[in-house]
Amino acid sequence: MSDLGLNKLLFDLRDFYGGFISKFNINIREDFSADEIMVRGFKTPIEQILLNVIHNAVDAVLEKEHKTIEIKTYSDNEYGIIEIKDNGPGISDDIAERIFDPFFTTKEIGKGVGLGLSLVRSYINECQGAMEFKSTPGNTSFILKFKRAKV
């Protein structure tokens, strides 16, 4: 594991996620911490986590008239945190417990195989982080937590 800056990771990934966000006319709001938040982790798995969650947010808002995704960085005493929020339909209670199961998907055939969030959970564990999500109709947030680096 190495020390990584959360804001830098997101800035470096803009070329990847910015393209498909602008392609679908999605309003992106970024609220990054004024100070860089250093965390412990593995760069490639964290990039995969971010791209998977952002891609899911894009899929969630595609049918909305006003599409919005918010990406925020902040920290507490133990974790550097990235919160990715969308204004899609939300995750219903009847599937909420299954969204991290391998091969579970709500996407139509050919659009997803149900491995994204399963891999996200695996990568979060590999980085000794934590993850939670909150969802109501029209508002879903994934909160991704990574252990802060000792400064």
Side-chain angles (χ1 to χ4, degrees), residues 112-137:
V113 294
L115 289 176
L117 288 177
S118 174
L119 288 172
V120 164
R121 182 174 57 185
S122 177
Y123 290 150
I124 286 273
N125 291 337
E126 182 180 332
C127 292
Q128 300 173 350
M131 175 176 53
E132 59 188 71
F133 75 95
K134 301 173 192 171
S135 188
T136 58

PDB file of all heavy atoms in Angstrom, residues 112-137:
ATOM      1  N   GLY A 112     -24.846  -5.163 -18.366  1.00  0.00           N
ATOM      2  CA  GLY A 112     -24.044  -5.365 -17.164  1.00  0.00           C
ATOM      3  C   GLY A 112     -24.113  -6.815 -16.736  1.00  0.00           C
ATOM      4  O   GLY A 112     -25.090  -7.503 -17.005  1.00  0.00           O
ATOM      5  N   VAL A 113     -23.046  -7.268 -16.058  1.00  0.00           N
ATOM      6  CA  VAL A 113     -22.998  -8.666 -15.621  1.00  0.00           C
ATOM      7  C   VAL A 113     -23.111  -8.800 -14.107  1.00  0.00           C
ATOM      8  O   VAL A 113     -23.094  -9.894 -13.573  1.00  0.00           O
ATOM      9  CB  VAL A 113     -21.715  -9.383 -16.115  1.00  0.00           C
ATOM     10  CG1 VAL A 113     -21.717  -9.494 -17.620  1.00  0.00           C
ATOM     11  CG2 VAL A 113     -20.470  -8.703 -15.606  1.00  0.00           C
ATOM     12  N   GLY A 114     -23.207  -7.686 -13.401  1.00  0.00           N
ATOM     13  CA  GLY A 114     -23.395  -7.755 -11.966  1.00  0.00           C
ATOM     14  C   GLY A 114     -22.123  -7.969 -11.172  1.00  0.00           C
ATOM     15  O   GLY A 114     -22.169  -8.477 -10.056  1.00  0.00           O
ATOM     16  N   LEU A 115     -20.997  -7.578 -11.724  1.00  0.00           N
ATOM     17  CA  LEU A 115     -19.737  -7.735 -10.989  1.00  0.00           C
ATOM     18  C   LEU A 115     -19.194  -6.422 -10.440  1.00  0.00           C
ATOM     19  O   LEU A 115     -18.340  -6.432  -9.563  1.00  0.00           O
ATOM     20  CB  LEU A 115     -18.676  -8.389 -11.891  1.00  0.00           C
ATOM     21  CG  LEU A 115     -18.921  -9.851 -12.201  1.00  0.00           C
ATOM     22  CD1 LEU A 115     -17.870 -10.374 -13.168  1.00  0.00           C
ATOM     23  CD2 LEU A 115     -18.931 -10.682 -10.936  1.00  0.00           C
ATOM     24  N   GLY A 116     -19.678  -5.293 -10.926  1.00  0.00           N
ATOM     25  CA  GLY A 116     -19.125  -4.003 -10.546  1.00  0.00           C
ATOM     26  C   GLY A 116     -19.097  -3.758  -9.056  1.00  0.00           C
ATOM     27  O   GLY A 116     -18.040  -3.539  -8.464  1.00  0.00           O
ATOM     28  N   LEU A 117     -20.249  -3.799  -8.395  1.00  0.00           N
ATOM     29  CA  LEU A 117     -20.292  -3.511  -6.962  1.00  0.00           C
ATOM     30  C   LEU A 117     -19.691  -4.631  -6.129  1.00  0.00           C
ATOM     31  O   LEU A 117     -19.161  -4.389  -5.046  1.00  0.00           O
ATOM     32  CB  LEU A 117     -21.718  -3.195  -6.513  1.00  0.00           C
ATOM     33  CG  LEU A 117     -22.240  -1.840  -6.981  1.00  0.00           C
ATOM     34  CD1 LEU A 117     -23.691  -1.637  -6.554  1.00  0.00           C
ATOM     35  CD2 LEU A 117     -21.372  -0.703  -6.482  1.00  0.00           C
ATOM     36  N   SER A 118     -19.740  -5.852  -6.639  1.00  0.00           N
ATOM     37  CA  SER A 118     -19.063  -6.955  -5.953  1.00  0.00           C
ATOM     38  C   SER A 118     -17.551  -6.709  -5.936  1.00  0.00           C
ATOM     39  O   SER A 118     -16.896  -6.877  -4.904  1.00  0.00           O
ATOM     40  CB  SER A 118     -19.379  -8.279  -6.661  1.00  0.00           C
ATOM     41  OG  SER A 118     -18.637  -9.322  -6.097  1.00  0.00           O
ATOM     42  N   LEU A 119     -17.013  -6.278  -7.058  1.00  0.00           N
ATOM     43  CA  LEU A 119     -15.580  -5.953  -7.130  1.00  0.00           C
ATOM     44  C   LEU A 119     -15.258  -4.723  -6.285  1.00  0.00           C
ATOM     45  O   LEU A 119     -14.216  -4.683  -5.631  1.00  0.00           O
ATOM     46  CB  LEU A 119     -15.154  -5.721  -8.577  1.00  0.00           C
ATOM     47  CG  LEU A 119     -15.090  -6.962  -9.454  1.00  0.00           C
ATOM     48  CD1 LEU A 119     -14.837  -6.582 -10.909  1.00  0.00           C
ATOM     49  CD2 LEU A 119     -14.023  -7.916  -8.960  1.00  0.00           C
ATOM     50  N   VAL A 120     -16.137  -3.735  -6.283  1.00  0.00           N
ATOM     51  CA  VAL A 120     -15.930  -2.544  -5.456  1.00  0.00           C
ATOM     52  C   VAL A 120     -15.772  -2.951  -3.998  1.00  0.00           C
ATOM     53  O   VAL A 120     -14.844  -2.522  -3.311  1.00  0.00           O
ATOM     54  CB  VAL A 120     -17.095  -1.536  -5.634  1.00  0.00           C
ATOM     55  CG1 VAL A 120     -17.099  -0.494  -4.527  1.00  0.00           C
ATOM     56  CG2 VAL A 120     -16.999  -0.868  -6.999  1.00  0.00           C
ATOM     57  N   ARG A 121     -16.669  -3.791  -3.516  1.00  0.00           N
ATOM     58  CA  ARG A 121     -16.579  -4.238  -2.115  1.00  0.00           C
ATOM     59  C   ARG A 121     -15.281  -4.991  -1.858  1.00  0.00           C
ATOM     60  O   ARG A 121     -14.609  -4.779  -0.849  1.00  0.00           O
ATOM     61  CB  ARG A 121     -17.778  -5.108  -1.750  1.00  0.00           C
ATOM     62  CG  ARG A 121     -17.731  -5.532  -0.280  1.00  0.00           C
ATOM     63  CD  ARG A 121     -18.944  -6.274   0.163  1.00  0.00           C
ATOM     64  NE  ARG A 121     -19.166  -7.449  -0.674  1.00  0.00           N
ATOM     65  CZ  ARG A 121     -20.210  -8.229  -0.585  1.00  0.00           C
ATOM     66  NH1 ARG A 121     -21.158  -7.958   0.282  1.00  0.00           N
ATOM     67  NH2 ARG A 121     -20.338  -9.271  -1.356  1.00  0.00           N
ATOM     68  N   SER A 122     -14.884  -5.844  -2.785  1.00  0.00           N
ATOM     69  CA  SER A 122     -13.639  -6.589  -2.642  1.00  0.00           C
ATOM     70  C   SER A 122     -12.430  -5.645  -2.601  1.00  0.00           C
ATOM     71  O   SER A 122     -11.533  -5.796  -1.764  1.00  0.00           O
ATOM     72  CB  SER A 122     -13.507  -7.582  -3.799  1.00  0.00           C
ATOM     73  OG  SER A 122     -12.290  -8.262  -3.734  1.00  0.00           O
ATOM     74  N   TYR A 123     -12.402  -4.663  -3.506  1.00  0.00           N
ATOM     75  CA  TYR A 123     -11.293  -3.705  -3.546  1.00  0.00           C
ATOM     76  C   TYR A 123     -11.262  -2.827  -2.293  1.00  0.00           C
ATOM     77  O   TYR A 123     -10.192  -2.512  -1.779  1.00  0.00           O
ATOM     78  CB  TYR A 123     -11.378  -2.818  -4.780  1.00  0.00           C
ATOM     79  CG  TYR A 123     -11.096  -3.512  -6.091  1.00  0.00           C
ATOM     80  CD1 TYR A 123     -11.701  -3.069  -7.258  1.00  0.00           C
ATOM     81  CD2 TYR A 123     -10.219  -4.588  -6.177  1.00  0.00           C
ATOM     82  CE1 TYR A 123     -11.439  -3.678  -8.480  1.00  0.00           C
ATOM     83  CE2 TYR A 123      -9.965  -5.200  -7.388  1.00  0.00           C
ATOM     84  CZ  TYR A 123     -10.575  -4.743  -8.539  1.00  0.00           C
ATOM     85  OH  TYR A 123     -10.315  -5.345  -9.743  1.00  0.00           O
ATOM     86  N   ILE A 124     -12.423  -2.426  -1.799  1.00  0.00           N
ATOM     87  CA  ILE A 124     -12.484  -1.630  -0.557  1.00  0.00           C
ATOM     88  C   ILE A 124     -11.866  -2.436   0.583  1.00  0.00           C
ATOM     89  O   ILE A 124     -11.063  -1.922   1.367  1.00  0.00           O
ATOM     90  CB  ILE A 124     -13.947  -1.241  -0.218  1.00  0.00           C
ATOM     91  CG1 ILE A 124     -14.441  -0.154  -1.155  1.00  0.00           C
ATOM     92  CG2 ILE A 124     -14.091  -0.834   1.235  1.00  0.00           C
ATOM     93  CD1 ILE A 124     -14.152   1.258  -0.743  1.00  0.00           C
ATOM     94  N   ASN A 125     -12.229  -3.711   0.675  1.00  0.00           N
ATOM     95  CA  ASN A 125     -11.669  -4.570   1.718  1.00  0.00           C
ATOM     96  C   ASN A 125     -10.162  -4.716   1.556  1.00  0.00           C
ATOM     97  O   ASN A 125      -9.422  -4.702   2.541  1.00  0.00           O
ATOM     98  CB  ASN A 125     -12.349  -5.940   1.714  1.00  0.00           C
ATOM     99  CG  ASN A 125     -13.790  -5.865   2.169  1.00  0.00           C
ATOM    100  OD1 ASN A 125     -14.190  -4.932   2.865  1.00  0.00           O
ATOM    101  ND2 ASN A 125     -14.586  -6.847   1.773  1.00  0.00           N
ATOM    102  N   GLU A 126      -9.700  -4.867   0.319  1.00  0.00           N
ATOM    103  CA  GLU A 126      -8.271  -4.990   0.037  1.00  0.00           C
ATOM    104  C   GLU A 126      -7.508  -3.763   0.520  1.00  0.00           C
ATOM    105  O   GLU A 126      -6.380  -3.864   0.987  1.00  0.00           O
ATOM    106  CB  GLU A 126      -8.073  -5.177  -1.477  1.00  0.00           C
ATOM    107  CG  GLU A 126      -6.649  -5.358  -1.920  1.00  0.00           C
ATOM    108  CD  GLU A 126      -6.550  -5.524  -3.433  1.00  0.00           C
ATOM    109  OE1 GLU A 126      -7.504  -6.004  -4.072  1.00  0.00           O
ATOM    110  OE2 GLU A 126      -5.497  -5.159  -3.978  1.00  0.00           O
ATOM    111  N   CYS A 127      -8.133  -2.603   0.446  1.00  0.00           N
ATOM    112  CA  CYS A 127      -7.505  -1.351   0.877  1.00  0.00           C
ATOM    113  C   CYS A 127      -7.800  -1.035   2.348  1.00  0.00           C
ATOM    114  O   CYS A 127      -7.470   0.054   2.818  1.00  0.00           O
ATOM    115  CB  CYS A 127      -7.996  -0.197   0.000  1.00  0.00           C
ATOM    116  SG  CYS A 127      -7.421  -0.292  -1.708  1.00  0.00           S
ATOM    117  N   GLN A 128      -8.417  -1.974   3.051  1.00  0.00           N
ATOM    118  CA  GLN A 128      -8.762  -1.818   4.469  1.00  0.00           C
ATOM    119  C   GLN A 128      -9.667  -0.607   4.691  1.00  0.00           C
ATOM    120  O   GLN A 128      -9.564   0.102   5.685  1.00  0.00           O
ATOM    121  CB  GLN A 128      -7.509  -1.735   5.337  1.00  0.00           C
ATOM    122  CG  GLN A 128      -6.653  -2.963   5.228  1.00  0.00           C
ATOM    123  CD  GLN A 128      -5.322  -2.830   5.939  1.00  0.00           C
ATOM    124  OE1 GLN A 128      -4.925  -1.765   6.381  1.00  0.00           O
ATOM    125  NE2 GLN A 128      -4.638  -3.950   6.058  1.00  0.00           N
ATOM    126  N   GLY A 129     -10.561  -0.395   3.740  1.00  0.00           N
ATOM    127  CA  GLY A 129     -11.497   0.712   3.829  1.00  0.00           C
ATOM    128  C   GLY A 129     -12.881   0.237   4.237  1.00  0.00           C
ATOM    129  O   GLY A 129     -13.054  -0.890   4.715  1.00  0.00           O
ATOM    130  N   ALA A 130     -13.845   1.094   4.039  1.00  0.00           N
ATOM    131  CA  ALA A 130     -15.229   0.778   4.365  1.00  0.00           C
ATOM    132  C   ALA A 130     -16.126   1.462   3.327  1.00  0.00           C
ATOM    133  O   ALA A 130     -15.708   2.417   2.672  1.00  0.00           O
ATOM    134  CB  ALA A 130     -15.568   1.270   5.769  1.00  0.00           C
ATOM    135  N   MET A 131     -17.341   0.972   3.221  1.00  0.00           N
ATOM    136  CA  MET A 131     -18.261   1.536   2.244  1.00  0.00           C
ATOM    137  C   MET A 131     -19.675   1.435   2.795  1.00  0.00           C
ATOM    138  O   MET A 131     -20.020   0.481   3.480  1.00  0.00           O
ATOM    139  CB  MET A 131     -18.153   0.765   0.935  1.00  0.00           C
ATOM    140  CG  MET A 131     -19.140   1.180  -0.112  1.00  0.00           C
ATOM    141  SD  MET A 131     -18.919   0.345  -1.695  1.00  0.00           S
ATOM    142  CE  MET A 131     -18.932  -1.359  -1.247  1.00  0.00           C
ATOM    143  N   GLU A 132     -20.452   2.440   2.488  1.00  0.00           N
ATOM    144  CA  GLU A 132     -21.872   2.394   2.818  1.00  0.00           C
ATOM    145  C   GLU A 132     -22.626   3.116   1.712  1.00  0.00           C
ATOM    146  O   GLU A 132     -22.032   3.832   0.917  1.00  0.00           O
ATOM    147  CB  GLU A 132     -22.149   3.030   4.181  1.00  0.00           C
ATOM    148  CG  GLU A 132     -21.735   4.475   4.294  1.00  0.00           C
ATOM    149  CD  GLU A 132     -21.838   5.022   5.711  1.00  0.00           C
ATOM    150  OE1 GLU A 132     -21.021   4.634   6.561  1.00  0.00           O
ATOM    151  OE2 GLU A 132     -22.753   5.849   5.933  1.00  0.00           O
ATOM    152  N   PHE A 133     -23.917   2.896   1.681  1.00  0.00           N
ATOM    153  CA  PHE A 133     -24.726   3.647   0.736  1.00  0.00           C
ATOM    154  C   PHE A 133     -26.034   4.025   1.404  1.00  0.00           C
ATOM    155  O   PHE A 133     -26.499   3.363   2.333  1.00  0.00           O
ATOM    156  CB  PHE A 133     -24.943   2.902  -0.586  1.00  0.00           C
ATOM    157  CG  PHE A 133     -25.932   1.780  -0.508  1.00  0.00           C
ATOM    158  CD1 PHE A 133     -27.266   1.984  -0.845  1.00  0.00           C
ATOM    159  CD2 PHE A 133     -25.533   0.518  -0.107  1.00  0.00           C
ATOM    160  CE1 PHE A 133     -28.173   0.959  -0.771  1.00  0.00           C
ATOM    161  CE2 PHE A 133     -26.437  -0.521  -0.028  1.00  0.00           C
ATOM    162  CZ  PHE A 133     -27.763  -0.307  -0.359  1.00  0.00           C
ATOM    163  N   LYS A 134     -26.569   5.119   0.931  1.00  0.00           N
ATOM    164  CA  LYS A 134     -27.869   5.613   1.391  1.00  0.00           C
ATOM    165  C   LYS A 134     -28.690   5.860   0.143  1.00  0.00           C
ATOM    166  O   LYS A 134     -28.188   6.420  -0.827  1.00  0.00           O
ATOM    167  CB  LYS A 134     -27.709   6.936   2.144  1.00  0.00           C
ATOM    168  CG  LYS A 134     -26.814   6.875   3.355  1.00  0.00           C
ATOM    169  CD  LYS A 134     -26.608   8.274   3.913  1.00  0.00           C
ATOM    170  CE  LYS A 134     -25.499   8.271   4.943  1.00  0.00           C
ATOM    171  NZ  LYS A 134     -25.125   9.611   5.362  1.00  0.00           N
ATOM    172  N   SER A 135     -29.938   5.450   0.187  1.00  0.00           N
ATOM    173  CA  SER A 135     -30.753   5.632  -0.998  1.00  0.00           C
ATOM    174  C   SER A 135     -32.212   5.881  -0.636  1.00  0.00           C
ATOM    175  O   SER A 135     -32.777   5.198   0.206  1.00  0.00           O
ATOM    176  CB  SER A 135     -30.649   4.405  -1.909  1.00  0.00           C
ATOM    177  OG  SER A 135     -31.283   4.651  -3.134  1.00  0.00           O
ATOM    178  N   THR A 136     -32.762   6.890  -1.277  1.00  0.00           N
ATOM    179  CA  THR A 136     -34.185   7.182  -1.248  1.00  0.00           C
ATOM    180  C   THR A 136     -34.569   7.460  -2.698  1.00  0.00           C
ATOM    181  O   THR A 136     -33.686   7.699  -3.530  1.00  0.00           O
ATOM    182  CB  THR A 136     -34.485   8.423  -0.362  1.00  0.00           C
ATOM    183  OG1 THR A 136     -33.749   9.539  -0.870  1.00  0.00           O
ATOM    184  CG2 THR A 136     -34.130   8.172   1.089  1.00  0.00           C
ATOM    185  N   PRO A 137     -35.838   7.440  -3.033  1.00  0.00           N
ATOM    186  CA  PRO A 137     -36.190   7.751  -4.417  1.00  0.00           C
ATOM    187  C   PRO A 137     -35.631   9.119  -4.835  1.00  0.00           C
ATOM    188  O   PRO A 137     -35.817  10.120  -4.150  1.00  0.00           O
ATOM    189  CB  PRO A 137     -37.724   7.764  -4.389  1.00  0.00           C
ATOM    190  CG  PRO A 137     -38.066   6.810  -3.275  1.00  0.00           C
ATOM    191  CD  PRO A 137     -37.005   7.053  -2.234  1.00  0.00           C
TER     192      PRO A 137
END
